[in-house]
Amino acid sequence: MQAAQGRSAGLGIALVSALAFGGSGVAAKPLIEAGLDPLHVVWLRAAGAALFMLPLAWRHRDLVRRKPALLLGFGLLAVAGVQAFYFASISRIPVGVALLVEYLGPALVLGWIRFVQRRPVTRAAAAGVVLAVGGLACVVEVWAGLSFDILGLLLALGAACCQACYFILSDHGGDSEDRADPLGVIAYGLLIGAAVLTVIARPWGMDFGLLATSVEMGGTEVAAWLLLAWVVLIATVLAYITGVVSVRRLSPQVAGVVACLEAVIATVLAWVLLREHLSLPQIAGGALVLAGAFIAQSRPPAAAKPAAVPVASGGPVIAVLPPAGPAAPGGDGPTAAPAGSTTAPEAELSADRTAT
């Protein structure tokens, strides 16, 4: 009973994370259409969230000594890596194709668990991944601009690997005595990610005055700073916190499949708030993603069998765990974003988990 309640709570938190990440593109697109460069919006997102989380970074400063590799990995891969690889890939291949390849992250997580950690993977999780990826192909309408560029596909695969790392690192140490506080990990991850993105985005050339104006969102004038606040506080801070917590309550493989809902949520929000068209294949794809998420969480992952350890040894070593991803970071995630060629900017921002 307790396990079922914990799984239900974890699923609810994962859905909140998917909703928060999925809303990033809808809030960011009006800023991009008003004149801000997409990379500058991504930098504002990461830098603003890092500034907000700065007090938590100070509070958990012991993590710098205890878990330096974890913090560096989360910042470089789960925050900055997803977005950097994703932006590089969409410069060579269609957005829909890049987004679909990035969301192979959950499948990579299953491979990590099965072949690297040598832990069993439930058939429900595997079936959920297959359904979710198939549904995403419909949501992003991958056939609309299908083209093959080896380097572009490799870059998109890099984003998928970073998304998988988001889930893996989110669960890292969650069950050990020397566990890393998720808030501290996120705070330092955002700080490191913002530093890396500063080099990539070069924000000193940005028109900061635009943030004091109003922009159009679905025919309505909205203050630019208000949309930026949503991107920073909801689509980044809240999204990452709930994403990491959901991974620890569920499992990396289940949370990864639920994260696929980010693209669906982004597309639906773009339809409602930005009045963008939603086709029948996208609706059908969304239903498949929902079905995949439901199937994946219908059965908890099998517990790993403890390895026999000689009495003379210091006791068993507790292995650490997986994740995208996520985070998506789609990130961003980090990192997912709206789909389809008509919603490219949102897809860029949502991917992050990434994210965006």
Side-chain angles (χ1 to χ4, degrees):
M1 174 68 73
Q2 232 175 4
Q5 290 177 344
R7 194 163 65 252
S8 297
L11 181 60
I13 296 172
L15 290 174
V16 171
S17 179
L19 180 62
F21 271 125
S24 64
V26 175
K29 185 175 181 178
L31 298 175
I32 295 172
E33 291 181 334
L36 280 181
D37 186 274
L39 273 177
H40 289 163
V41 177
V42 172
W43 177 82
L44 285 169
R45 175 184 187 179
L51 186 63
F52 183 83
M53 297 288 283
L54 196 57
L56 284 172
W58 175 256
R59 179 179 179 182
H60 297 286
R61 57 190 180 277
D62 63 305
L63 285 176
V64 177
R65 173 181 53 81
R66 292 171 45 222
K67 303 283 186 177
L70 172 61
L71 301 183
L72 190 62
F74 197 88
L76 291 178
L77 300 173
V79 177
V82 174
Q83 299 182 64
F85 276 112
Y86 181 76
F87 274 108
S89 70
I90 62 174
S91 69
R92 305 184 66 93
I93 61 178
V95 170
V97 177
L99 190 61
L100 178 62
V101 174
E102 180 192 343
Y103 273 86
L104 292 176
L108 296 179
V109 171
L110 290 181
W112 171 273
I113 295 172
R114 182 67 184 87
F115 300 109
V116 178
Q117 292 192 327
R118 304 201 175 192
R119 292 166 49 193
V121 172
T122 64
R123 291 182 180 178
V129 167
V130 172
L131 274 178
V133 171
L136 279 173
C138 297
V139 170
V140 303
E141 293 185 329
V142 65
W143 55 83
L146 191 61
S147 66
F148 293 96
D149 181 297
I150 297 300
L151 180 56
L153 290 174
L154 288 175
L155 289 168
L157 185 59
C161 292
C162 288
Q163 188 196 57
C165 289
Y166 160 72
F167 292 102
I168 293 173
L169 293 172
S170 295
D171 191 50
H172 185 84
D175 295 326
S176 68
E177 293 181 1
D178 189 32
R179 66 188 300 273
D181 189 285
L183 295 180
V185 173
I186 295 168
Y188 279 102
L190 288 169
L191 284 169
I192 295 171
V196 174
L197 288 170
T198 298
V199 177
I200 297 174
R202 292 176 289 183
W204 43 85
M206 184 193 320
D207 180 13
F208 285 92
L210 193 147
L211 298 176
T213 65
S214 294
V215 297
E216 184 178 337
M217 182 180 184
T220 304
E221 291 292 318
V222 181
W225 68 266
L226 188 60
L227 292 178
L228 179 60
W230 177 276
V231 170
V232 170
L233 300 178
I234 304 299
T236 306
V237 174
L238 177 63
Y240 269 104
I241 291 175
T242 52
V244 172
V245 171
S246 69
V247 170
R248 294 192 178 186
R249 281 179 173 266
L250 294 170
S251 68
Q253 61 265 44
V254 173
V257 177
V258 177
C260 292
L261 290 173
E262 294 168 21
V264 179
I265 291 169
T267 304
V268 172
L269 288 177
W271 181 30
V272 175
L273 298 178
L274 301 180
R275 301 178 182 179
E276 294 182 343
H277 176 65
L278 197 63
S279 66
L280 284 177
Q282 287 178 307
I283 295 174
L288 283 177
V289 175
L290 286 171
F294 175 79
I295 292 172
Q297 61 82 42
S298 61
R299 290 185 59 190
K305 296 180 180 179
V309 181
V311 176
S313 72
V317 177
I318 300 178
V320 258
L321 99 282
D332 172 329
T335 260
S341 57
T342 59
T343 58
E346 304 137 57
E348 296 168 2
L349 267 291
S350 254
D352 60 66
R353 290 132 73 225
T354 328
T356 331

